[in-house]
């Protein structure tokens, strides 16, 4: 049976809602719109709608401040203080050490539980951002947090891990050699049976919290406030870099670059799962790989 013109229009609108940035549907053809200019200076999409009510805009602004005051924004302030303290020391930055995953208790079993509590806190941070969007009437598939394209999302995530991870390691080694970064130890946990799985869970917790909050949540809220795509992107990228300042200037710059790449990919695809997968893979390699190679290779600081 031939569909009516109205049915075709409704199907096109449904496709556009589920696949923003995926193409223009016209008379049975899909035309690509991802030009270089669209990637460098994209226009703000129509979804979600911009809030115009002053009270609603004020509420969103307060919500953003509260969320980041208790999550990654507070981590950014603590990292800044940590970096200032390191700069004031007589010891050069490259000769100072900072650990990401370190023991939290003397007894092994209690240490494992403490590490798992840290993972739970990170997941709760990300869940808070997702819940606030959902509670505000936004289905999570609209920010790409769903399982409809899981196979492709995992493959794209692996590609993003390679795109960011290898240059990121090189940037860290260069910054460390130039004395601009502390010696970062991804893990100083003892060699226990639970170390590898706990580090893998920590990698997922970091990825989930950061990508949901700094990409899916904050970029969506800024769209609702009418911010331009580039202005929102830079704010999110600098925020991402801020809570890595404890690692030194190399960690800040590297994560700002990562934020620019990840944020723009989300703005163009509206898929959040690949970012979470890519970030988690990078951290798994860093955490578990460092724990396995520490003391066995000479090129690691």
């Amino acid at each position: 049976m031939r569909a009516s013109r109205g049915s075709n229009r409704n199907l096109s609108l449904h496709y556009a809602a589920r696949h923003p940035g995926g193409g223009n549907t016209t008379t049975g053809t899909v035309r690509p719109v991802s030009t270089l200019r669209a990637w460098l200076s994209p226009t703000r999409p129509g979804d979600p709608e911009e809030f115009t009510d002053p009270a609603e805009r004020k509420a969103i602004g307060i919500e953003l401040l509260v969320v980041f005051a208790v999550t990654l924004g507070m981590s950014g302030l603590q990292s800044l203080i940590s970096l200032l303290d390191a700069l004031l020391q007589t010891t050069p930055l490259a000769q100072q050490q900072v650990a990401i995953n370190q023991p939290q208790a003397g007894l092994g079993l209690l240490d494992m539980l403490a590490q798992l509590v840290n993972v739970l806190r990170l997941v709760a941070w990300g869940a808070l951002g997702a819940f606030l969007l959902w509670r505000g009437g936004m289905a999570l598939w609209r920010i790409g947090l769903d399982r409809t394209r899981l196979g492709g999302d995992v493959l794209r995530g692996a590609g993003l891990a390679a795109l960011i991870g290898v240059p990121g390691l090189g940037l860290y080694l260069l910054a460390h050699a130039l004395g601009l970064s502390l010696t970062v130890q991804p893990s100083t946990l003892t060699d226990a049976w639970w170390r590898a799985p706990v580090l893998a869970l920590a990698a997922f917790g970091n990825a989930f919290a950061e990508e949901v909050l700094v990409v899916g949540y904050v970029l969506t809220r800024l769209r609702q406030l009418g911010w331009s795509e580039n202005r929102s992107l830079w704010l999110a990228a600098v925020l991402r870099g801020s809570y890595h300042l404890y690692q030194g200037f190399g960690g800040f710059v590297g994560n700002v670059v990562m934020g620019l790449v990840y944020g723009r990919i989300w703005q163009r695809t509206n898929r959040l799962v690949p970012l979470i997968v890519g970030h988690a893979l990078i951290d798994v390699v860093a955490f578990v790989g460092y724990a396995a190679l520490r003391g066995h290779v000479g090129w690691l600081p």
Side-chain angles (χ1 to χ4, degrees):
M1 181 181 294
R2 183 178 180 183
S4 66
R5 289 185 179 180
S7 299
N8 284 333
R9 181 175 183 274
N10 289 336
L11 287 173
S12 297
L13 290 173
H14 176 73
Y15 178 89
R18 291 303 297 260
H19 305 279
N24 291 335
T25 305
T26 57
T27 63
T29 62
V30 178
R31 295 181 300 176
V33 295
S34 297
T35 63
L36 179 61
R37 182 176 180 180
W39 277 87
L40 294 178
S41 184
T43 57
R44 183 193 175 282
D47 180 43
E49 295 182 357
E50 179 182 348
F51 291 136
T52 56
D53 179 62
E56 186 69 26
R57 292 174 62 87
K58 181 179 180 180
I60 292 299
I62 294 173
E63 179 189 286
L64 283 165
L65 289 176
V66 171
V67 168
F68 285 99
V70 298
T71 60
L72 295 172
M74 185 61 66
S75 297
L77 291 176
Q78 292 172 332
S79 288
L80 175 60
I81 294 172
S82 178
L83 175 60
L84 292 174
D85 180 62
L87 290 171
L88 292 174
Q89 303 299 316
T90 56
T91 306
L93 279 183
Q95 296 180 23
Q96 300 182 46
Q97 296 180 343
V98 60
I100 298 177
N101 297 284
Q102 53 188 319
Q104 302 292 321
L107 186 64
L109 181 59
L110 290 179
D111 190 18
M112 180 189 72
L113 293 175
Q115 302 298 329
L116 292 176
V117 168
N118 287 336
V119 173
L120 182 61
R121 182 185 64 225
L122 289 168
V123 173
W125 283 1
L128 174 63
F131 172 77
L132 289 172
L133 291 178
W134 174 80
R135 188 67 179 83
M138 175 164 289
L140 294 184
W141 64 259
R142 291 168 66 187
I143 64 169
L145 193 59
D146 58 65
R147 297 177 294 175
T148 57
R149 287 176 272 175
L150 189 58
D153 286 343
V154 170
L155 290 176
R156 284 185 285 271
L160 284 173
L163 175 67
I164 296 296
V166 176
L169 176 59
L171 177 61
Y172 162 68
L173 293 175
L174 176 62
H176 186 270
L178 295 175
L180 298 176
S181 286
L182 288 79
T183 299
V184 179
Q185 298 178 308
S187 172
T188 58
L189 299 180
T190 56
D191 187 9
W193 63 268
W194 50 264
R195 183 176 65 181
V198 165
L199 287 175
L201 288 173
F204 170 76
N206 284 327
F208 185 77
E210 292 188 43
E211 303 313 326
V212 173
L213 281 176
V214 182
V215 177
Y217 171 73
V218 74
L219 291 181
T220 297
R221 283 306 196 211
L222 293 179
R223 278 177 174 174
Q224 291 174 323
L225 291 177
W227 283 40
S228 70
E229 296 292 272
N230 281 344
R231 185 184 176 195
S232 301
L233 179 67
W234 275 102
L235 176 66
V238 172
L239 173 62
R240 185 189 295 261
S242 70
Y243 52 81
H244 290 90
L245 278 168
Y246 70 94
Q247 300 176 8
F249 298 105
F252 173 78
V253 172
N255 279 278
V256 167
V257 173
M258 179 179 177
L260 292 173
V261 174
Y262 270 36
R264 180 64 90 223
I265 288 174
W266 181 83
Q267 288 176 331
R268 295 296 298 158
T269 66
N270 259 49
R271 295 301 302 164
L272 194 61
V273 175
L275 308 187
I276 296 173
V277 171
H279 191 152
L281 288 175
I282 291 172
D283 282 1
V284 166
V285 172
F287 296 169
V288 179
Y290 179 86
L293 296 176
R294 185 177 59 179
H296 299 286
V297 296
W299 54 269
L300 278 176

